[in-house]
Amino acid sequence: MTETLAQRIGAFVAGFGPAALTAEEAHLARRALLDTIACALGGLREATTQKALRYARATSGPGAAHVWGFNDRLGLEQAAFVNGVAGHVLDYDDVTTPLRGHPSVAMLPALCALAEAEGKGMQALAAAYVVGFEVMGRLGETIGDEHYARGWHATASIGTLGATAACANLLGLAAEQTVNAIGLAVAQAAGSRENFGTDAKSFQAAHANRAALQCVLLAREGFDASPAALDGARGYLTLYGKGEDPAQGFAGLGETPRLLLRAGLEVKKYPMCYATHRTLDGLLDLKAETGIGLADVAAVEVEGSNRAFTPLLHDRPQTGLAGKFSLQYAVAAALADGGVGLPAFEDAAVQRPAIQAFLPMVTKREGSGALNPRYAEITVRLKDGRSLHRRVEALRGGPSLPLTDAELAAKLGDCLAHAGSTAAAGMIAAAILDPADRPVAEVIRLLAPLRAAAE
């Protein structure tokens, strides 16, 4: 009998453990956790998070996992859900090119909740993260570009499967149980890009975590699913893809160098959709070099690689959430403010008359050819008749120009300040990045002093 794709993934998931980790993978996983927690703590006061928290408290009794920054615990699924909403609401969390989405927020809230409940350590969490990244990234490489272009929110629609694989690894499920968990994940994988700029985008990322926990816990109880749920005639690849053959995408599954090292993470410097980030890097460099401001500019034209601007749905945003998915707003805010930070996404900031008047002055177009390698070609036309140009390929915060550990700790500090907290960012960052295999619960407890500020 031919091995199905789910069975192949199940064997990989069940056979991978902390001993297989390289030191670089373990450190990258800890960096991903630091970035995800930073974004979630920064998002605690957002209205979207507060709505999710009220819902979770109303539907969950005391449980085994913390909402990050709070002393009280909820059930695993509800705690992971709230942390997923908080971690994604600022749109400040990391991305990776193969997925065309956000890998860490799709699985780390679930992994942390499970690690707390099961008494797991940081090395086990790091190994599970590598497993989840490998699975969701390879699915992304197989179907991701067309899948995303058709309107799927890959963070959720693909990320749910990777998160399930990660949680199955952390829970120590056998290969057959993992196959069943993957089949159950197929039953829940969804998410639409039409929801970008609304509360539902964060819901979709959070649901990937909640669904993954449900899948693995049911599989542990003996719930079964079709072993052909991924590549069967009526399976995931048929329904969510366009007939792509997974053989190439999953060749050498789990072999070194694994996808986390090959593809890497793009850690955001700006709290908005990463499709704007090359433009922002180039535009802010031009502003720093020339001193230009919003009043000096007649028009800005931006060209990007084919489908590079697909997530940018809002040309005339009126809210902070919509502004996160607007190239026009990114350009206007950068020129007006000299940077694009968390305060730029208050509704009042987006609604400034000078900003709204400038939005039609920004145009975007996509080139022909492949999506990768990505680029942004920026032309700034000044009112005095001059034109400024900049082309950006390498992304700051990306694998070729990564943020330092100190810059990551500084990002945590900014997020804490946004949440109104005076907690010590350096202490939290050091604990997360420490290579010692301390219990995950011990790290999460360090966040509890944020409670008063968040509430």
Side-chain angles (χ1 to χ4, degrees), residues 133-148:
F133 193 99
E134 185 85 355
V135 171
M136 75 173 74
R138 284 175 176 269
L139 276 170
E141 287 182 322
T142 301
I143 68 169
D145 191 18
E146 288 296 327
H147 177 86
Y148 193 85

Side-chain angles (χ1 to χ4, degrees), residues 65-436:
H66 285 89
V67 174
W68 298 337
F70 293 80
N71 283 315
D72 51 323
R73 301 182 187 187
L74 300 177
L76 296 189
E77 293 177 31
Q78 297 296 57
F81 176 75
V82 176
N83 289 333
V85 169
H88 199 48
V89 68
L90 298 177
D91 224 281
Y92 208 2
D93 49 300
D94 64 33
V95 298
T96 189
T97 296
L99 179 63
R100 291 218 70 178
H102 303 253
S104 297
V105 79
M107 57 177 162
L108 279 170
L111 286 173
C112 285
L114 196 59
E116 274 197 272
E118 298 288 325
K120 301 291 186 179
M122 290 288 286
Q123 281 295 94
L125 184 139
Y129 178 87
V130 169
V131 164
F133 193 99
E134 185 85 355
V135 171
M136 75 173 74
R138 284 175 176 269
L139 276 170
E141 287 182 322
T142 301
I143 68 169
D145 191 18
E146 288 296 327
H147 177 86
Y148 193 85
R150 289 164 61 195
W152 292 104
H153 180 200
T155 299
S157 55
I158 296 176
T160 300
L161 303 179
T164 298
C167 288
N169 175 269
L170 188 64
L171 197 58
L173 293 189
E176 183 178 357
Q177 292 172 310
T178 300
V179 170
N180 290 330
I182 289 170
L184 294 172
V186 169
Q188 301 193 73
S192 166
R193 285 196 295 107
E194 194 62 37
N195 280 325
F196 284 17
T198 72
D199 292 345
K201 184 174 191 281
S202 296
F203 170 90
Q204 290 170 179
H207 177 69
N209 291 274
R210 181 169 59 189
L213 288 168
Q214 185 181 55
C215 292
V216 299
L217 294 171
L218 284 171
R220 184 169 67 174
E221 295 300 325
F223 246 72
D224 69 358
S226 170
L230 288 178
D231 54 354
R234 294 161 294 276
Y236 179 89
L237 293 176
T238 299
L239 298 173
Y240 292 70
K242 295 188 70 176
E244 298 91 344
D245 182 359
Q248 182 175 356
F250 282 84
L253 176 66
E255 296 176 2
T256 56
R258 285 175 281 272
L259 195 61
L260 181 58
L261 296 184
R262 288 194 289 110
L265 288 164
E266 297 168 8
V267 178
K268 289 189 176 184
K269 288 187 65 182
Y270 315 108
M272 66 183 308
C273 180
Y274 82 114
T276 66
H277 284 214
R278 286 177 174 81
T279 300
L280 286 172
D281 280 351
L283 188 64
L284 289 170
D285 283 350
L286 286 172
K287 182 174 174 62
E289 292 166 10
T290 64
I292 58 170
L294 192 68
D296 304 309
V297 178
V300 178
E301 301 159 7
V302 184
E303 179 182 300
S305 47
N306 187 28
R307 294 181 173 173
F309 300 141
T310 301
L312 303 178
L313 304 182
H314 298 284
D315 292 344
R316 304 291 182 268
Q318 295 295 315
T319 67
L321 275 177
K324 289 177 178 290
F325 302 93
S326 173
L327 185 69
Q328 291 84 350
Y329 180 64
V331 169
L335 287 171
D337 303 331
V340 179
L342 291 165
F345 298 98
E346 301 292 336
D347 289 351
V350 177
Q351 294 163 6
R352 287 174 287 176
I355 294 290
Q356 289 291 316
F358 191 81
L359 296 178
M361 305 299 106
V362 182
T363 57
K364 65 180 188 290
R365 65 179 181 274
E366 294 177 345
S368 58
L371 170 65
N372 297 309
R374 298 190 185 191
Y375 69 90
E377 191 91 40
I378 307 141
T379 301
V380 180
R381 303 197 185 281
L382 302 178
K383 291 178 179 177
D384 64 9
R386 292 180 296 149
S387 291
L388 306 174
H389 303 276
R390 183 61 50 94
R391 181 182 175 94
V392 177
E393 295 177 357
L395 184 66
R396 290 176 189 152
S400 63
L401 295 171
L403 301 186
T404 66
D405 289 353
E407 287 173 322
L408 267 179
K411 179 176 176 178
L412 172 61
D414 289 342
C415 288
L416 289 170
H418 183 69
S421 171
T422 58
M427 178 269 293
I428 295 171
I432 294 171
L433 296 177
D434 185 352

